[in-house]
Amino acid sequence: MPKTRIVNPFKPSAGHLPPVLIGRDIILDDFQEGLDNGSGAPGRLMRITGARGTGKTVMLAEFRRMAEQQGWQTISETASAGMTQRLLEKLQPKKGNLSFSFEPSISIMSMGGSLGGVHYEKSRMPLTLRDAMSERLDALEKHDAGLLVTIDEAQAADRDDMVAIATTVQHLTSEDRNIAFVFAGLPSMTSKWLNDDVMTFLRRAQPERLGDVPLVEVSQAFTDTFAGTGMVLEGTPLDLATQATAGYPFMIQLVGYHIWRVAKRHHPQDISITVTVEDAEAGVRDALSRLGDTVHGPELDGLSPIDKTYLLAMAQDDGPSSTSTIAERMGKDARYASMYRMRLIEAQVIEERGYGKVDFAIPYLREYLREHAAYIRMTSGIAD
């Protein structure tokens, strides 16, 4: 009989479900209550924000799993050009030769703006996204099932797509249809869409901000997950692993993955493995290297040269930075620097730490900036 192969239980890649969704119980309970309590329940219209690596995509995947367990159908999309068209294609009947296409120029009664619509290829008769979803719901509701739509990276959506979805949500909710929508994105999603007059439905969506996980929960999750694969992680190695994560969800996966991998390689023949201090230290080093490549680098790529100048000025301090000192280092007045402070706070790259002070919100970003300062300046055109 072949020997069962034990695989690494940690999944440090975008969207993969971790072995334990720690620190998210309240959000998961709210969504489950939304499914249970019917149309109009707060958990059926939700917007999730958080910096990169806080687990937004993972939460959407878990919501879909929960809905499917109750017999619901789910549709997932990542916001980019043509999103409404892709939604319509997923709603298209599997039988017949009808084809839908998106028409963003159809006007909405007296609301202003535009509404995404579709037409039948043969007759060119208009069919809105609302109609397409209504047809799908007609079939689902006969079996007491519903439809969940999740939209990831919503800050990157085209306005026409969001208008089409907004109008659909408003009408289907008012009709008490068995539907749920969850939008996830970077914090900029909030400022971009909540101030748009046509997007009032998003203001009513239940807001959920994903932050750090309490270290006591991280420690217990590490203990349980390692034990589930026949490894013992306790004492100093457990403390090293826990503290290294800083409660940052993606770092929890990275640290767990690399410590598990190192321990397995160091003790390939052992049936029961006890993780050593050396295993933990080596795993943390590997995790930190990967964090820079997968989180810090991409985060900085999305910022302006002046945003990066602000962060480089912050990185000179070992702890929270004075906003007036940052402005001096930038060679700017406090009012000018404050514009970029607010931008970076809104993006959850930095956070306020008392009056007149800020600190990094993303773990180890200070160290990454120090290590790569010369390269960041050169590639961004920032003067020394």
Side-chain angles (χ1 to χ4, degrees):
M1 188 172 180
K3 184 178 179 181
T4 302
R5 180 170 172 262
I6 299 176
V7 299
N8 195 321
F10 295 93
K11 311 295 180 186
S13 55
H16 279 280
L17 282 174
V20 197
L21 274 166
I22 54 175
R24 306 301 189 218
D25 292 346
I26 293 176
I27 301 174
L28 294 172
D29 288 346
D30 286 348
F31 180 74
Q32 184 62 59
E33 287 177 6
L35 294 180
D36 295 341
N37 293 338
S39 179
R44 288 200 178 195
L45 180 58
M46 193 178 289
R47 51 183 162 89
I48 298 174
T49 58
R52 286 186 177 86
T54 51
K56 300 182 295 297
T57 303
V58 167
M59 290 300 299
L60 295 184
E62 179 64 8
F63 287 161
R64 291 193 296 272
R65 186 195 65 78
M66 292 166 65
E68 288 166 0
Q69 276 193 331
Q70 294 191 200
W72 282 43
Q73 287 188 7
T74 64
I75 296 177
S76 63
E77 262 301 331
T78 298
S80 62
M83 178 173 64
T84 302
Q85 176 62 43
R86 295 192 300 275
L87 286 173
L88 290 166
E89 288 169 355
K90 291 175 180 178
L91 289 164
Q92 185 169 326
K94 291 182 169 42
K95 295 181 179 180
N97 58 359
L98 297 175
S99 178
F100 302 159
S101 66
F102 180 45
E103 294 177 339
S105 61
I106 298 175
S107 61
I108 310 175
M109 296 180 283
S110 59
M111 295 174 59
S114 60
L115 166 63
V118 294
H119 62 259
Y120 289 113
E121 195 64 34
K122 282 187 175 180
S123 65
R124 311 287 292 181
M125 291 177 60
L127 180 70
T128 63
L129 180 62
R130 168 192 172 189
D131 293 332
M133 286 193 174
S134 291
E135 288 189 6
R136 177 62 60 88
L137 286 166
D138 287 342
L140 291 170
E141 289 171 349
K142 290 177 181 177
H143 304 283
D144 294 323
L147 178 67
L148 166 66
V149 179
T150 64
I151 307 295
D152 205 359
E153 303 293 347
Q155 78 283 346
D158 287 344
R159 187 175 185 275
D160 283 334
D161 287 327
M162 289 298 286
V163 170
I165 292 170
T167 308
T168 298
V169 170
Q170 289 168 339
H171 282 292
L172 294 178
T173 301
S174 68
E175 294 168 359
D176 289 329
R177 303 308 299 264
N178 209 18
I179 195 163
F181 282 84
V182 183
F183 301 82
L186 297 173
S188 57
M189 173 182 76
T190 301
S191 59
K192 181 176 181 180
W193 296 126
L194 264 63
N195 296 323
D196 190 306
D197 289 341
V198 186
M199 308 298 170
T200 54
F201 82 102
L202 266 182
R203 295 176 199 160
R204 297 193 298 272
Q206 180 166 315
E208 300 288 358
R209 177 184 171 181
L210 301 185
D212 295 338
V213 178
L215 292 184
V216 64
E217 295 186 37
V218 175
S219 179
Q220 188 61 56
F222 273 153
T223 300
D224 294 343
T225 306
F226 273 79
T229 63
M231 286 194 191
V232 176
L233 179 62
E234 60 185 13
T236 300
L238 175 60
D239 292 340
L240 287 169
T242 301
Q243 294 299 322
T245 70
Y248 185 55
F250 187 61
M251 192 61 173
I252 296 170
Q253 294 300 311
L254 280 175
V255 168
Y257 177 87
H258 286 285
I259 290 179
W260 194 97
R261 186 187 66 160
V262 168
K264 192 70 175 176
R265 288 182 176 180
H266 286 178
H267 315 279
Q269 304 303 320
D270 293 359
I271 296 175
S272 179
I273 297 172
T274 297
V275 178
T276 66
V277 170
E278 292 74 19
D279 296 334
E281 290 175 339
V284 168
R285 284 195 300 271
D286 291 345
L288 286 172
S289 176
R290 289 294 297 149
L291 183 68
D293 294 337
T294 54
V295 174
H296 297 144
E299 185 69 53
L300 292 174
D301 288 342
L303 300 177
S304 73
I306 301 178
D307 290 328
K308 295 174 189 177
T309 301
Y310 193 102
L311 296 176
L312 287 168
M314 282 182 62
Q316 297 179 40
D317 298 313
D318 293 331
S321 300
S322 163
T323 54
S324 59
T325 301
I326 295 169
E328 289 175 13
R329 290 171 181 165
M330 294 174 68
K332 305 292 183 180
D333 61 43
R335 187 172 183 177
Y336 178 90
S338 70
M339 293 189 298
Y340 293 92
R341 175 180 66 86
M342 291 307 300
R343 281 164 51 106
L344 291 165
I345 289 174
E346 185 177 297
Q348 293 184 13
V349 178
I350 66 175
E351 58 190 6
E352 293 183 287
R353 286 293 182 89
Y355 182 75
K357 289 188 176 293
V358 290
D359 203 354
F360 292 100
I362 301 176
Y364 303 104
L365 182 55
R366 173 183 288 106
E367 292 79 1
Y368 183 88
L369 286 161
R370 289 175 174 178
E371 184 179 347
H372 297 85
Y375 177 77
I376 293 168
R377 288 192 175 94
M378 179 186 69
T379 55
S380 304
I382 301 172
D384 289 330

